[in-house]
């Protein structure tokens, strides 16, 4: 481009500028156009930014709120867990109180006293040979063999072996257990014998003509020197008579379930002197030498 052309273009530009400036000074159109256009441009640029800022601020507020809620929920869960533990402890205490109330409602026969024992184990020994439980008291607490062990529902068994602080209770279901009884209605005598776990009790030596009936309760007769008279032992399930037998075939069910017993009562005869030999049905307990061994007839 030559110098003349450049000067010409410059002069044209100056002329157009001065003309537009003069025209805009009279009309103000360009000023209004620029103001409106700039405002729109600025608005369209700022509005998304404001929206993004609002979204970010709302997200942050929600995040902080959710974190607070999370922390609060964590604390609430911890409090709920603590309350559950307390409720479980209170429930256990209430159950223990109910069991103690049941035991305290038991009134021992005249001449007998009762005290509580806590069950600490079931069916000990090789292959669980004995139908037995272990309780938390022994000789140091005044227990000796052949003391009746009962619950408010009936007879559970008798003390069998007594250590210093623990004792074995022989249950009525054990085959070695024998308890002289009388039926509650017909007053039929017999001997309740155990047959082992899961099997019914048998009632031995019931005379063929005895009027024993199904449903009668069998109560201790008090004739063996171990159990006081009048404690419930079992309920007659079946009575079978046959001319080829000398005695009736009688089966009974126990009244006490040992598996749900946590506490039991032991009875002590305070009116009768201890003898050297205690036992029943062929079992003799010799305490004269302080030996707990069994001797059989």
């Amino acid at each position: 481009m030559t110098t003349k052309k450049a000067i010409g273009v410059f002069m044209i530009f100056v002329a157009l500028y001065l003309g537009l400036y003069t025209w805009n000074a009279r009309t103000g159109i360009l000023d209004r156009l620029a103001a409106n256009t700039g405002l729109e441009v600025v608005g369209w640029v700022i509005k998304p930014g404001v929206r993004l800022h609002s979204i970010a601020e709302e997200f942050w507020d929600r995040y902080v709120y959710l974190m607070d809620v999370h922390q609060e929920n964590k604390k609430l869960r911890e409090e709920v867990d603590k309350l559950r533990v307390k409720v479980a402890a209170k429930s256990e205490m209430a159950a223990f109180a109910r069991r103690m109330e049941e035991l305290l409602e038991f009134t021992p026969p005249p001449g007998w006293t009762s005290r509580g024992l806590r069950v600490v184990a079931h069916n000990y020994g090789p292959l669980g040979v004995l139908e037995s439980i272990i309780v938390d008291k022994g000789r140091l607490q005044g227990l000796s063999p052949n003391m009746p062990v009962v619950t408010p529902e009936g007879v559970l068994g008798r003390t069998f072996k007594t250590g210093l602080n623990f004792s074995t209770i022989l249950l009525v279901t054990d085959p070695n257990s024998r308890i002289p009884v009388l039926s509650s209605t017909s007053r039929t005598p017999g001997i309740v014998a155990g047959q082992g776990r899961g099997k019914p009790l048998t009632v031995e030596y019931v005379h063929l003509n005895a009027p024993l009936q199904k449903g009668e309760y069998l109560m201790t007769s008090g004739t063996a020197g171990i159990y006081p008279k009048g404690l419930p032992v079992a309920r007659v399930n079946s009575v079978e008579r046959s001319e080829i037998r000398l005695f009736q075939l009688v089966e009974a069910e126990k009244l006490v379930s040992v598996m749900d017993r946590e506490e039991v009562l032991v009875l002590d005869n305070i009116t009768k002197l201890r003898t050297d030999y205690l036992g029943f049905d062929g079992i003799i307990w010799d305490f004269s030498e302080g030996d707990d061994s069994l001797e059989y007839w």
Side-chain angles (χ1 to χ4, degrees), residues 27 46 94 100 138 180 188 202 221 255 285 293:
T27 63
I46 294 177
M100 292 300 100
T188 300
T202 62
S221 64
L255 299 179
W285 287 83
S293 61

Side-chain angles (χ1 to χ4, degrees), residues 106-114 267:
F106 177 82
T107 302
W112 294 75
T113 60
S114 64
L267 302 183

